[in-house]
Amino acid sequence: MPEGDTVWQAARRLDDALAGKVLIRSDLRVPRFATADLTGRAVLDVTARGKHLLTRIEGGLTLHSHLRMDGSWKVYGNGQRWSGGPGHQIRAILGNTDRTAVGYRLPVLELLRTADEHRAVGHLGPDLLGPDWDPDQALANILDDPARELGEALLDQRNLAGIGNVYKSELCFLLGVTPWLPAGALPADRAEKLPALAKKLLEANRDRPIRSTTGRRGQDLFVYGRAPRPCLRCRTSIRVADQGDGSRERPTYWCPTCQPGPAPATSRRRHTD
């Protein structure tokens, strides 16, 4: 699933292509909004809110989309061949005289009044890359359920918006705790560092084509996707296990030496993610 930095990049690409220009093509390929016609309206801006995309359009309208696991927005110049997938996977087309944005495999696509954006994103916690970022509130949200596993608390977008599986694993590694540690058991000195560290990771990567948490070329991540290779710090074999209620696969990576503490009953070997 794209994380906050990836969605921020997508918003910037869409804003560069669409903002300030009048739509001459509009096609929303979802039954509820199939008859909506946005042509003749200017796109005001495209902004990210956590993992959500908000395309604001003249006349008080917002096109809300979420990429989840497989969705993407591609931008093409006039005459350029579309290459984001087969035609039946296209869910949205927004075009002006210069460029066309095409949304592929979008599991969430809805047109709503801009005044009603809270219906789509009002439940989100402070946005790590947004103007509403509040580190104290984010930490308070995480610690509000002290028995909850830290990894699950970090993924809960109601606590703070923008963290996915990659940053969950990397953040827990940098904090020196396992993702299965109860949030309330996080040592106070590390809890104090958590919000600033999370923000630093996402901000450092929002302008990068390749995500890196290590600063090492060719060794971009400390643990995520690296099982069963050796830890970059201690050479212990990285482990991987699913975390969560089992409703969807959430591979979680950790180093059992650098991250002492609770661990799942079983882990599995996995060479790629």
Side-chain angles (χ1 to χ4, degrees):
M1 177 183 291
E3 311 205 13
D5 55 343
T6 305
V7 177
W8 189 92
Q9 292 173 9
R12 185 172 63 176
R13 288 195 301 271
L14 290 169
D15 191 75
D16 288 345
L18 301 176
K21 298 177 181 178
V22 174
L23 295 173
I24 62 171
R25 184 172 185 183
S26 162
D27 188 359
L28 304 183
R29 299 182 181 180
V30 293
R32 184 179 174 188
F33 303 105
T35 60
D37 184 7
L38 302 175
T39 57
R41 299 174 185 254
V43 173
L44 303 179
D45 66 84
V46 183
T47 189
R49 179 73 173 85
K51 300 180 184 181
H52 299 251
L53 284 164
L54 302 171
T55 302
R56 299 186 178 111
I57 300 165
E58 188 178 28
L61 296 176
T62 294
L63 185 65
H64 166 234
S65 58
H66 195 297
L67 307 181
R68 289 192 180 163
M69 291 297 295
D70 301 315
S72 68
W73 279 96
K74 303 290 185 181
V75 175
Y76 303 101
N78 287 343
Q80 185 179 359
R81 182 179 179 183
W82 298 359
S83 56
H88 71 267
Q89 293 183 348
I90 295 174
R91 296 292 176 266
I93 302 171
L94 299 175
N96 53 46
T97 56
D98 299 315
R99 286 181 281 184
T100 301
V102 184
Y104 291 90
R105 300 170 299 278
L106 300 174
V108 176
L109 185 71
E110 61 174 341
L111 189 64
L112 63 156
R113 304 293 302 181
T114 300
D116 294 331
E117 284 181 359
H118 64 277
R119 288 174 32 212
V121 297
H123 65 288
L124 298 176
D127 186 347
L128 281 154
L129 295 178
D132 71 319
W133 174 242
D134 183 337
D136 295 332
Q137 185 61 56
L139 183 59
N141 292 344
I142 290 171
L143 299 179
D144 186 58
D145 185 353
R148 192 177 191 185
E149 294 174 354
L150 179 60
E152 285 294 285
L154 290 172
L155 285 182
D156 191 335
Q157 302 300 294
R158 296 169 297 180
N159 290 336
L160 70 172
I163 290 179
N165 253 4
V166 177
Y167 284 119
K168 175 192 77 172
S169 295
E170 295 295 293
L171 186 57
C172 286
F173 176 83
L174 291 169
L175 291 170
V177 298
T178 78
W180 290 271
L181 180 79
L186 185 65
D189 60 330
R190 296 181 223 186
E192 184 179 352
K193 295 176 182 177
L194 189 158
L197 182 56
K199 184 174 179 61
K200 180 180 178 180
L201 289 178
L202 267 73
E203 281 192 334
N205 284 287
R206 67 182 184 184
D207 295 316
R208 290 175 177 167
I210 298 176
R211 182 182 290 136
S212 175
T213 59
T214 65
R216 306 181 190 182
R217 183 172 296 180
Q219 296 178 325
D220 300 305
L221 302 174
F222 283 108
V223 291
Y224 190 84
R226 298 195 67 252
R229 286 175 285 173
C231 174
L232 297 179
R233 285 184 177 171
C234 73
R235 311 305 292 174
T236 300
S237 179
I238 298 298
R239 295 183 184 175
V240 59
D242 289 326
Q243 184 175 26
D245 59 10
S247 60
R248 52 181 163 171
E249 188 175 291
R250 284 179 169 170
T252 301
Y253 297 83
W254 82 106
C255 171
T257 299
C258 294
Q259 298 170 258
T266 60
S267 59
R268 53 189 171 88
R269 294 177 65 86
R270 184 185 179 105
H271 292 271
T272 59
D273 184 65

